[in-house]
């Protein structure tokens, strides 16, 4: 283990084993963890960048014991200790992802082969065992969905699932919505027709990032729930048809819902969402609420439609889906920015009653990450 400074004190090089990492003086000073810079109770930064001299440099840097790097910052004349473990966890001198459409390493992308290993847990067990609860929530983060069995068969039971990690996202559809299929439907929405894989409410900004579907009644034959990993599908599109991936991620689609008195929801977002550095951040796909696309240049519109069709064919490909049946007391929680859901057609008589609601994944990820940081579960 060794440390050295550039002649001008602007760059620190830290060598730990075979790993050599460089850090800038201004970055280190801004990220100091001392009590002058950070509140010891909540970790929030107490200074702003303007409080740090623009000509900040390091006069000395030395290893102290096994986990401390002590740096003397000038012209402030301030000695600040850094944890080597913290520095190792925050190295930025590393190759950046080059291929557009990359995903966070904590995500596991999947296709139909996951059917044998669905992320399933027993609701009763989760309620009494915090560790099991955390393991299931980690799977929801990793796979973008999780199924629960053995829950109560009662109106509103779905709220107990959201209570495990966060909060309901109330919308104009209410705190929850009913999905009923009846023998003699009064509304086409309540028929047993198959529904193509889609994400919900792409016409909202921000879009609800989690959805829960909870089964209370299921006597009809058919009607299996299907899920598709939109990130797997997007990467497949990228690998098979890079130009199509580029079109769907570069141009905005439009989505709208104005089917209720006093409601006019409208968004302008790409079907494949990317961060500025190419990270895959979300998929919006819903034939029922797609509006007229007016943000694709005339010269690209025909290709855009070919790309839209091709992406839909990937999403419809059976090798992409996992299918399962929800029995009363069972539910599925999924990331509505990543995982598309669909329903197979019903046949015969019987009824099916699901209750659904939305929530947001920031609370879910927060709970999982807080536990990983050994904070209170
Ligand atoms: Fe839906």
């Amino acid at each position: 283990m060794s440390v050295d400074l550039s002649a001008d004190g602007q760059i620190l090089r830290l060598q730990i084993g075979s790993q050599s990492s460089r850090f800038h003086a201004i970055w280190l000073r801004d990220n100091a963890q001392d009590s002058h810079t950070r509140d010891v109770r909540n970790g929030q930064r107490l200074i702003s960048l303007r409080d740090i001299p623009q000509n900040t440099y390091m006069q000395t840097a030395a290893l102290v014991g096994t986990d401390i790097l002590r740096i003397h910052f000038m012209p402030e004349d301030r000695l600040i200790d850094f944890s080597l473990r913290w520095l190792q966890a925050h190295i930025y001198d590393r190759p950046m992802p080059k291929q557009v459409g990359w995903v966070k390493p904590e995500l596991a992308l999947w296709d139909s082969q996951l059917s044998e290993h669905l992320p399933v847990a027993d609701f009763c067990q989760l309620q009494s065992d915090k560790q099991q609860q955390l393991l299931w929530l980690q799977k929801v983060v990793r796979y973008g969905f999780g199924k629960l069995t053995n829950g109560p068969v009662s109106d509103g039971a779905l709220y107990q699932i959201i209570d495990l990690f966060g909060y309901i996202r109330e919308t104009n559809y209410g705190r929850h919505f009913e999905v009923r299929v009846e023998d003699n439907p009064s509304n086409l929405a309540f028929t047993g027709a198959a529904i193509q894989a889609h994400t919900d409410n792409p016409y909202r900004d921000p879009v609800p990032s989690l959805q829960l579907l909870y089964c209370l009644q299921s006597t009809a034959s058919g009607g299996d729930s299907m899920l598709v990993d939109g990130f797997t599908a997007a990467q497949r599109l990228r690998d098979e048809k890079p130009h199509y991936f580029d079109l769907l991620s570069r141009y905005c689609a439009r989505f709208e819902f104005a089917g209720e008195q006093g409601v006019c929801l409208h968004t302008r977002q790409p079907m494949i969402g990317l961060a500025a550095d190419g990270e895959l951040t979300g998929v919006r796909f819903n034939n029922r609420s797609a509006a007229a696309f007016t943000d694709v240049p005339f010269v690209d519109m025909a290709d855009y439609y070919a790309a839209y069709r091709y992406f839909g064919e990937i999403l419809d490909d059976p090798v992409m889906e996992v299918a399962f049946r929800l029995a009363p007391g069972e539910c599925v929680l999924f990331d509505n920015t990543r995982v598309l859901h669909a329903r197979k057609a019903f046949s015969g008589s019987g009824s099916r009653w699901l209750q659904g609601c939305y929530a947001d994944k920031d609370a879910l990820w927060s709970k999982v990450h807080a536990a990983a940081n050994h904070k209170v579960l």
Side-chain angles (χ1 to χ4, degrees):
M1 190 158 54
S2 65
V3 60
D4 62 76
L5 293 178
S6 61
D8 61 2
Q10 289 297 324
I11 307 289
L12 176 143
R13 183 184 294 276
L14 182 64
Q15 181 88 32
I16 300 179
S18 60
Q19 188 176 33
S20 175
S21 309
R22 293 166 299 173
F23 298 89
H24 290 87
I26 188 64
W27 186 95
L28 287 162
R29 179 64 191 89
D30 188 40
N31 286 293
Q33 305 291 305
D34 66 297
S35 60
H36 171 78
T37 310
R38 294 267 178 179
D39 188 300
V40 291
R41 293 159 300 180
N42 56 36
Q44 294 209 294
R45 190 181 274 102
L46 297 167
I47 62 171
S48 60
L49 190 55
R50 67 185 174 193
D51 297 318
I52 301 174
Q54 196 168 5
N55 59 342
T56 288
Y57 66 97
M58 297 171 281
Q59 189 168 61
T60 60
L63 296 164
V64 180
T66 55
D67 187 46
I68 298 293
L69 173 64
R70 182 165 294 162
I71 301 177
H72 190 185
F73 286 96
M74 295 298 282
E76 289 179 276
D77 192 18
R78 187 181 293 277
L79 276 175
I80 298 178
D81 287 350
F82 291 82
S83 152
L84 288 178
R85 273 196 304 177
W86 186 92
L87 284 174
Q88 278 189 290
H90 294 84
I91 288 169
Y92 60 91
D93 185 13
R94 57 183 166 78
M96 293 295 167
K98 286 196 176 72
Q99 193 175 27
V100 70
W102 59 276
V103 299
K104 290 186 176 72
E106 62 201 289
L107 305 187
L109 305 196
W110 48 266
D111 58 19
S112 61
Q113 292 181 5
L114 188 70
S115 301
E116 306 301 316
H117 313 282
L118 290 181
V120 184
D122 180 295
F123 176 68
C124 287
Q125 207 179 10
L126 293 199
Q127 281 208 309
S128 58
D129 185 336
K130 295 278 188 195
Q131 194 54 36
Q132 289 300 317
Q133 191 184 116
L134 178 62
L135 286 172
W136 183 72
L137 293 174
Q138 284 172 334
K139 285 180 181 172
V140 176
V141 166
R142 187 168 171 73
Y143 297 105
F145 78 100
K147 185 183 171 189
L148 281 181
T149 60
N150 203 23
V153 184
S154 57
D155 189 358
L158 76 174
Y159 294 120
Q160 295 180 48
I161 313 300
I162 303 299
D163 286 344
L164 293 175
F165 62 88
Y167 312 93
I168 292 282
R169 164 88 83 92
E170 191 167 355
T171 70
N172 55 298
Y173 303 131
R175 278 174 59 75
H176 78 264
F177 50 90
E178 308 285 342
V179 186
R180 284 181 187 273
V181 174
E182 299 161 351
D183 285 345
N184 297 300
S186 58
N187 184 307
L188 282 179
F190 303 147
T191 68
I195 298 177
Q196 192 195 15
H198 62 280
T199 59
D200 261 26
N201 292 202
Y203 40 77
R204 292 186 200 282
D205 236 337
V207 73
S209 47
L210 286 174
Q211 183 175 177
L212 178 68
L213 289 172
Y214 198 104
C215 181
L216 293 175
Q217 215 175 74
S218 181
T219 61
S221 56
D224 285 7
S225 299
M226 293 186 296
L227 299 177
V228 176
D229 188 343
F231 284 3
T232 306
Q235 288 194 345
R236 185 174 150 188
L237 180 69
R238 176 199 65 190
D239 297 342
E240 292 178 5
K241 300 278 186 185
H243 180 53
Y244 287 177
F245 179 90
D246 181 54
L247 289 169
L248 295 189
S249 57
R250 186 151 50 96
Y251 293 130
C252 283
R254 290 189 181 225
F255 300 96
E256 67 185 13
F257 177 77
E260 265 179 53
Q261 186 73 26
V263 174
C264 184
L265 293 158
H266 192 100
T267 56
R268 202 179 73 86
Q269 289 284 347
M271 292 193 199
I272 296 173
L274 297 175
D277 60 2
E279 181 195 2
L280 201 47
T281 54
V283 169
R284 292 186 193 227
F285 192 90
N286 190 317
N287 63 304
R288 285 166 293 151
S289 54
F293 307 140
T294 53
D295 301 285
V296 180
F298 179 84
V299 293
D300 284 330
M301 187 60 88
D303 280 355
Y304 186 85
Y305 263 93
Y308 179 24
R309 179 184 298 274
Y310 196 88
F311 191 41
E313 286 168 357
I314 290 176
L315 295 169
D316 288 339
D317 185 344
V319 305
M320 302 296 288
E321 74 183 34
V322 297
F324 50 86
R325 193 169 174 75
L326 285 180
E330 296 185 346
C331 66
V332 61
L333 175 68
F334 53 93
D335 180 343
N336 187 50
T337 67
R338 168 184 170 187
V339 172
L340 294 87
H341 59 289
R343 188 187 71 193
K344 287 187 177 172
F346 285 77
S347 58
S349 62
S351 62
R352 184 172 184 258
W353 177 21
L354 302 181
Q355 288 186 325
C357 68
Y358 301 116
D360 282 306
K361 63 182 182 181
D362 56 345
L364 171 69
W365 285 64
S366 165
K367 183 138 188 170
V368 168
H369 288 155
N373 290 340
H374 307 294
K375 292 182 180 166
V376 178
L377 179 63

